[in-house]
Amino acid sequence: QHAHELLIKGGTVVNAHHKEVADVYVEDGIIASIGPNIVQVGDEVNIIDATGKYVMPGGIDPHTHLEMDFMETATIDDFFTGQAAALAGGTTMHIDFVIPINGDLSAGFESYVSKAKKSVMDYGFHMAITKWDEAVSKDMEVMVKEHGINSFKFFMAYKGALMINDELLLHGLERCKSLGALAMVHAENGDAVAEGQKRMIDLGITGPEGHALSRPPILEAEATARAIRLAGFVNTPLYVVHVMSIDAMEEIAKAKKSGQRVIGEPVVSGLVLDDSWLWHPDFTTAAKYVMSPPIRKAGHGEVLKAALSAGILQLVGTDHCTFNSTQKALGFDDFRKIPNGVNGIEERMHLIWDTMVETGLISVTDYVRITSTECARIFNIYPQKGAILEGSDADLIILNPNASFRVTSASHHSRSDTNVYEGRTGKGKVEVTISRGRVVWEDDTLKVTPGLGRYIKMKPFSYLFDGIEKADAAYLASLSAPVQRSRASS
Amino acid sequence: QHAHELLIKGGTVVNAHHKEVADVYVEDGIIASIGPNIVQVGDEVNIIDATGKYVMPGGIDPHTHLEMDFMETATIDDFFTGQAAALAGGTTMHIDFVIPINGDLSAGFESYVSKAKKSVMDYGFHMAITKWDEAVSKDMEVMVKEHGINSFKFFMAYKGALMINDELLLHGLERCKSLGALAMVHAENGDAVAEGQKRMIDLGITGPEGHALSRPPILEAEATARAIRLAGFVNTPLYVVHVMSIDAMEEIAKAKKSGQRVIGEPVVSGLVLDDSWLWHPDFTTAAKYVMSPPIRKAGHGEVLKAALSAGILQLVGTDHCTFNSTQKALGFDDFRKIPNGVNGIEERMHLIWDTMVETGLISVTDYVRITSTECARIFNIYPQKGAILEGSDADLIILNPNASFRVTSASHHSRSDTNVYEGRTGKGKVEVTISRGRVVWEDDTLKVTPGLGRYIKMKPFSYLFDGIEKADAAYLASLSAPVQRSRASS
Amino acid sequence: QHAHELLIKGGTVVNAHHKEVADVYVEDGIIASIGPNIVQVGDEVNIIDATGKYVMPGGIDPHTHLEMDFMETATIDDFFTGQAAALAGGTTMHIDFVIPINGDLSAGFESYVSKAKKSVMDYGFHMAITKWDEAVSKDMEVMVKEHGINSFKFFMAYKGALMINDELLLHGLERCKSLGALAMVHAENGDAVAEGQKRMIDLGITGPEGHALSRPPILEAEATARAIRLAGFVNTPLYVVHVMSIDAMEEIAKAKKSGQRVIGEPVVSGLVLDDSWLWHPDFTTAAKYVMSPPIRKAGHGEVLKAALSAGILQLVGTDHCTFNSTQKALGFDDFRKIPNGVNGIEERMHLIWDTMVETGLISVTDYVRITSTECARIFNIYPQKGAILEGSDADLIILNPNASFRVTSASHHSRSDTNVYEGRTGKGKVEVTISRGRVVWEDDTLKVTPGLGRYIKMKPFSYLFDGIEKADAAYLASLSAPVQRSRASS
Amino acid sequence: QHAHELLIKGGTVVNAHHKEVADVYVEDGIIASIGPNIVQVGDEVNIIDATGKYVMPGGIDPHTHLEMDFMETATIDDFFTGQAAALAGGTTMHIDFVIPINGDLSAGFESYVSKAKKSVMDYGFHMAITKWDEAVSKDMEVMVKEHGINSFKFFMAYKGALMINDELLLHGLERCKSLGALAMVHAENGDAVAEGQKRMIDLGITGPEGHALSRPPILEAEATARAIRLAGFVNTPLYVVHVMSIDAMEEIAKAKKSGQRVIGEPVVSGLVLDDSWLWHPDFTTAAKYVMSPPIRKAGHGEVLKAALSAGILQLVGTDHCTFNSTQKALGFDDFRKIPNGVNGIEERMHLIWDTMVETGLISVTDYVRITSTECARIFNIYPQKGAILEGSDADLIILNPNASFRVTSASHHSRSDTNVYEGRTGKGKVEVTISRGRVVWEDDTLKVTPGLGRYIKMKPFSYLFDGIEKADAAYLASLSAPVQRSRASS
Ligand SMILES: [Zn+2]
Ligand SMILES: [Zn+2]
Ligand SMILES: [Zn+2]
Ligand SMILES: [Zn+2]
Ligand SMILES: [Zn+2]
Ligand SMILES: [Zn+2]
Ligand SMILES: [Zn+2]
Ligand SMILES: [Zn+2]
């Protein structure tokens, strides 16, 4: 299909700040105009009728792991299958985590550039920091200034592997601040997790349920509270990935109330699932729910959804990180060896719509905010992404609120042979997905071309950094220090 | 000045969702286009250079009392002087409270229509509900459906005058919900305030300090908590006017975290002043700070600002309600007779900029959000107001962040002979104010024409009502009730 | 049995402040000595071997309604059967609520004096205040100074019947403060409850589940918060009866943390039951769980127990208020007519032991504190009651931690034909109960004599009032008011 | 003075659980009887008239550092002068911290045994843990089982010196749990403190004010939250020493509300001072207030006192750790070298009485609870200490509420040449102090004999450990794990 022009007629066009019935005209992958009754310009314009449907910015998934080497294996979805799944579910961009190679950021970056060559939609990169030395510190600057990375993630868990201690975290936070890059944390107390794992094994609890039992919410809350306070001490914004528990959310809520800039990212599995699956007698079934931090007991999800509706938590990710059942089986005798991760990149948009919009928790504009706009603003690519405004990229979806969806591994687009949402149905269906002006999903059919996905560079100093310097200056001015003193005195 | 066209060049155009350097072109009072390097169309275009300055939506003040009969007198600023002051301070719209006449809504409305004839800028109306009967209930519908009012205010204080009890508040909340109107509350426990006042008088504390002492934060928190819970019980959005204390803010924060839709409005006096003035030995000085709820002890303002920066509180008002020193002197012997109210409509935009943007608490986009956009969204007039988008009203200001402002009653535009911000200076200056395309404030000079201000009708069912019905339905579906039972049993 | 002397040998004697293995010697109903190896004095001493068991102060139930006229009927347990049940369960004193007759306190008091003539154990009285006038205010003084009542209860619910408004509550709190009497509240928002009931009936939900649905936790929290703040405003201690929800507990916790003197009383039904029974298809079964505030959803009880273990909540009552199934059936067609109340006076001690001591939540000394000592201290009868000290009344129990109990209406001592704990079993058994030196329960057999129970007068100004005057004085001294001002100024 | 018998007549005898007017008879250092009108037995009985005064258990200070080597010097008060000061201020026992020598517990213990030989009153020991290996772990058992130590302290600050990391803290907590010993923490994030110190030095802030600025409350709260959660994870009681900030207290309050066993110990300096002194232009004056965590801004003390009154915090210590002005001057050029510590052992009882009892915050029984009884219970020496009961040690004070005290370094008994409470006066005066039956302080005169102080062994498994095993068992029983699974599956 060739058409460079596209006209979407009669839908309710939704932005995070407003919704209205309007037409949307797209030219060369860019939104050219929005308004009532746009008249068709040329012959080749592809016209889509969206009457009675919502035209929204495509979803942006802030948290994915495609083709990642992890726990002696690699995630089974790569930049082709993972993105294909995304598009089929209404997500038109994702931000993946570059993992350094032996701590080397540049090597890691090159590796991901290569992995991403087969991309079928736009994507960006975060980068993990897994050790600390001068080279790492310098490479961070290179990543920010040359390679379009504006966020770095620190692991407070995975002892002996990715985990960093408080001293390094402090250095990392300070470095991020000076570069205008957003610090992200995987927040669990890794020392205690290791103790908890040992405790379970000692108790003979070696199955998937041991995974949840070994790292309870208290350990997530601890690390979340610690990261928040250290970021507050440094005065730099913080992004907490995969907020899974009420306990962690409460820490974020408290910090935000005091004016601190903390972003909390729940993931869809934490919002709509509970940990009872981990007790399933069938190992394959139980193991597919193993991720870290663990999916929590029933009740956490509802509270997280409320916090999300209120803006206490700000956007929804997936932590899409898939392993098939053969891979999961590596941990049959020891849950510590089950590769951690669940799917979600294809299901996120549908599940959030069904459990939050259809239940009245949030408005349609809120939906756009938490699935797309907020992510674009945080990672400083708004309004290129995350909006339906003139000049924005034409990453769009058309959602029919009266249609319904059904999830099953038989029909999903991930390469995984299982799906943690197996059998789930709900209201609302992404009927059309448009990636930079091209219709890539329609009539339940994908039309994608490897290599057409672009890497989106993300500039530092997003809105989260506005005023940080002024606040620092005001702080210094408030100290009434140093006090002048002479040695001779009473 | 005739020019129907206006071109603002080179400024940083700020919306709540984004800022960018761009030109803004205005035609017939409407924003016609925004973009880089807009070329002048005709000869008569008035060109304003905004290089190095911020072009922002004019402020919207959600809370004013112009020409209001109150406490045996009337506020001294009317729709001309109050609005003139507003424009000089960068506020281009306000929403005033219609007070019923002997409880009669229609009579009250007519009276305000008449008062507002001299308007020099756009305005809207809230309406107070001061008694309850069938007529009131019916008139509410008339107001909403015919007169463009979409918010009603209930007083939990002013015992014996405006105060309503819980039964009536419940009826009011339910009525608001059915009409899609936003319920607002003045939240203080009126019974306890009356006790507190008596206590102070009995102690011989008859001066302005007695005002603050008679109605401590605990009474504001009580009523705020009560209104929130009753609104939660009815499941309708709630707007708490003039949040003055940490205690009340905490109640709002708690409710929001749980997903309840509660809007908290701090006012500028509560953010930047403290109650020490009420102890001033000069009565005139002390009395000018008397308002309800009272301005609180030092410390409250900073916490409220933090909550505002975080979105826990959502917008800033003034409760502009001015009395001159002669009027305030009515209460020389008894603080209960001091007319309650302070100025602020002219100072709000400057003070918020200076104390929140210049200190690094918020970004420039946040500034637009809390002074203008959020108000427009809440009262359902966005994006006609509160945005710089094509098609929006050209209510604009140009703020020079490098200039400075100074407040004094000698030069302010209010008719009052005092100013609670007397002598205050700060950074940031509104150099130009544009009302529906006309430059009304420039070179420290007002150019206004009585009668040019329009009444802005506000439609019910704002975004705050999205999903309410679905949530109600989900609630009912969750009850597992009624249970079927037969009489013969066990 | 005649023996005036009693020697309990070898048990672990438990007080709230300490436990030790010791003998206890009782003479004429009074504890004469405690110590290791007390040697038998005379021949007629009744010796009880308590080796391996706990000797503890008998339970004191702060909240019962024996022979109370309520909702067109009367509670089925009177001062004989109710107390017999109490003794069989290890409770040796209770405090019942005198209900005024048409608001007349003296008439109410006389009526209860008469009802209590058949008492088989010691008891005290609280008094309800159901209307307000000069006579009531004066009678309160009579009750305190002449009749040994030191607590008054105010109902914030039961609209149209017992409910009082905030103005009267404020007067009541002030009156209590001046008399040194403890103000108690039944905390639910009665106006909203009435709305909630109407809502349920309108929905066709007329069964017992409608009772719970009509008065959710939010309404309990609202009234609890209100009462606490009004008591704080008056600066007098407050006792919140039957704290049933997390929401209400949180309000108490917040107030206590700030130093306010608030006592929270959970009741055993709220600690160990949940509301699922109200959905039981058998009306008789469902109806027996109807009480106000309602028993809450699963989860509340655990959190309340934690708060109790921490001293956030201070003592456990029952609100024993029994109606048999015929009486409950009055509300078959309308839950509003189901007499409110559950049993518990016989089960409290066992259930608290089993669910709190046996689970490790609290220590044995804590157990004595929450079931007996704290009640005695709050109502100012310690150490006559609530302690095993020389000179204390010999109200004692011997609990065997290795025996077990079983609850069933077939064997309980209440006159009711149902029991809300039907079939429940657990560890720990009260094997012996001693009332003022007489063994009244032993070998599962009661030996009681109507008329032997004494009325225990309770003096005002308990420890909760210590320092109140000083705090008031400090408050006044802190006001820096009145400020001296002359009229000529500025 | 020889008298082995002592009769204190007519005072109000105060225990934590009760107060009453009574006589107290003491024989051979032990309280022999308490009651009204005790008749003098022999001729040699020393009779003290306490009419109109309070007879209370002597204070127990849970937190002192006598003759401690620290920061290149040693505290100037030893077991003679420090205890003399204690007795003059109404404190009759203290618990000091044994510091291991190069991590060796036994060597440290021997050293302190030697230091304590000159003791003039009873004392006990905590022990610090400053490194971790098998020897330390084994020595802990020796200390508990042979040497009467039942508490171990871990430092989360003092990086490079005493600080331990989370892994070691977890091991320490588990070891403490198994031994029935109470884990204590100095809670500040040492990594961040080091950063903060460097930051201040880089800013040229080298004076005492830099001490406070380098380690703000957020770092205390962080470590407090972390220690609490790790203790919760291990399920063992935790004691947080010197709670100095609202932020830390809130963490304790939250944990307690959930049922966790956490003891918070504020110290008198944190309750009654504020950090403004650290800005004093005279170095000697400013430096005397340097302690860690720092004394906080005005406002913290009041909130901590409220929490203490409510039982959220449970007892008051001093962290008495004195250096004279010459020693403090070691840090003239660098606040990091100012020896940390303030006095308080002599002033604690008076200051708490004056600021908490005289202001109405707490009752006299509460006073005994927080200054003596709670400490004795926590460290498992009640009722030998902390009570006026028959058989208790006769460690007593007589406090005259109508007399007044005055603090000055000219007259205090510490060897320090400064006093952080210099010039402070207040109501309430300890007129007599009795140590194990001997009058050691009377008429403002000390009568003490080095060597008469005894070492009080403290047994493990205090009441804080009651139920821990049951709770662990209940937890395990609740896991529904391990799940049985076979390898072959769907
Ligand atoms: Zn992660
Ligand atoms: Zn991840
Ligand atoms: Zn108002
Ligand atoms: Zn107002
Ligand atoms: Zn009740
Ligand atoms: Zn009751
Ligand atoms: Zn320390
Ligand atoms: Zn110390």
Side-chain angles (χ1 to χ4, degrees), chain B residues 63 65 153 155 158 186 241-242 292-293 319:
Chain B
H63 189 160
H65 299 285
K153 180 174 172 188
F155 292 88
Y158 301 116
H186 172 128
V241 303
H242 47 45
S292 294
D319 204 359

Side-chain angles (χ1 to χ4, degrees), chain A residues 66-139:
Chain A
L66 301 184
E67 205 179 326
M68 176 179 65
D69 296 321
F70 188 54
M71 295 180 79
E72 317 284 309
T73 179
T75 56
I76 198 167
D77 278 318
D78 59 20
F79 280 76
F80 178 80
T81 60
Q83 293 185 351
L87 291 170
T91 288
T92 54
M93 178 174 171
H94 71 116
I95 313 180
D96 209 86
F97 286 88
V98 172
I99 310 294
I101 295 179
N102 296 324
D104 183 330
L105 308 195
S106 294
F109 183 74
E110 290 315 316
S111 157
Y112 272 74
V113 165
S114 173
K115 291 177 184 184
K117 289 209 168 110
K118 60 183 81 160
S119 288
V120 298
M121 71 183 202
D122 291 358
Y123 59 93
F125 287 145
H126 315 285
M127 181 164 272
I129 300 296
T130 57
K131 72 167 190 182
W132 190 262
D133 56 24
E134 264 313 294
V136 168
S137 178
K138 278 192 184 148
D139 265 6

Side-chain angles (χ1 to χ4, degrees), chain A residues 63-65 68 97 153 155 158 186 241-242 265 291-292 318-321:
Chain A
H63 189 159
T64 61
H65 300 283
M68 176 179 65
F97 286 88
K153 179 174 171 189
F155 291 87
Y158 300 116
H186 173 126
V241 304
H242 47 44
E265 170 210 88
M291 66 171 289
S292 294
T318 61
D319 204 0
H320 185 84
C321 185

Side-chain angles (χ1 to χ4, degrees), chain B residues 159 167 174 195 199 209 222 226 229 251 254 278-280 282 333 479 483 485 487 489, chain C residues 159 167 174 195 209 222 229 233 251 254 278-280 282 333 479 483 485 487 489-490:
Chain B
K159 187 176 182 177
E167 182 177 331
E174 282 161 358
E195 278 295 303
R199 191 190 289 174
E209 73 277 16
E222 189 287 310
R226 181 153 40 102
R229 276 149 171 164
E251 295 296 328
K254 187 169 62 174
L278 291 164
W279 271 256
H280 198 283
D282 174 46
D333 295 317
L479 299 185
V483 175
R485 294 182 178 95
R487 196 174 279 270
S489 75
Chain C
K159 187 175 183 177
E167 181 177 332
E174 282 161 359
E195 278 294 304
E209 73 278 15
E222 189 288 311
R229 276 150 170 163
F233 183 63
E251 295 295 329
K254 186 168 63 173
L278 292 164
W279 271 255
H280 197 283
D282 174 47
D333 295 317
L479 299 185
V483 175
R485 292 184 179 94
R487 195 173 280 269
S489 75
S490 149

Side-chain angles (χ1 to χ4, degrees), chain D residues 95-106:
Chain D
I95 313 179
D96 208 87
F97 286 88
V98 172
I99 309 295
I101 295 179
N102 296 325
D104 182 330
L105 308 195
S106 294

Side-chain angles (χ1 to χ4, degrees), chain A residues 159 167 209 282 483 489, chain D residues 159 167 209 282 483 485 489:
Chain A
K159 188 175 182 177
E167 182 177 330
E209 72 278 17
D282 174 47
V483 174
S489 73
Chain D
K159 186 175 183 177
E167 181 177 331
E209 73 278 15
D282 175 47
V483 174
R485 294 183 178 94
S489 74

Side-chain angles (χ1 to χ4, degrees), chain D residues 205-251:
Chain D
I205 302 173
T206 59
E209 73 278 15
H211 178 73
L213 294 172
S214 66
R215 45 209 307 157
I218 205 172
L219 302 186
E220 184 188 352
E222 189 289 310
T224 304
R226 181 154 40 104
I228 287 172
R229 275 151 171 162
L230 294 180
F233 183 63
V234 171
N235 191 24
T236 195
L238 181 74
Y239 183 109
V240 182
V241 304
H242 47 45
V243 176
M244 298 297 279
S245 63
I246 296 171
D247 316 60
M249 181 278 288
E250 291 285 357
E251 295 296 329

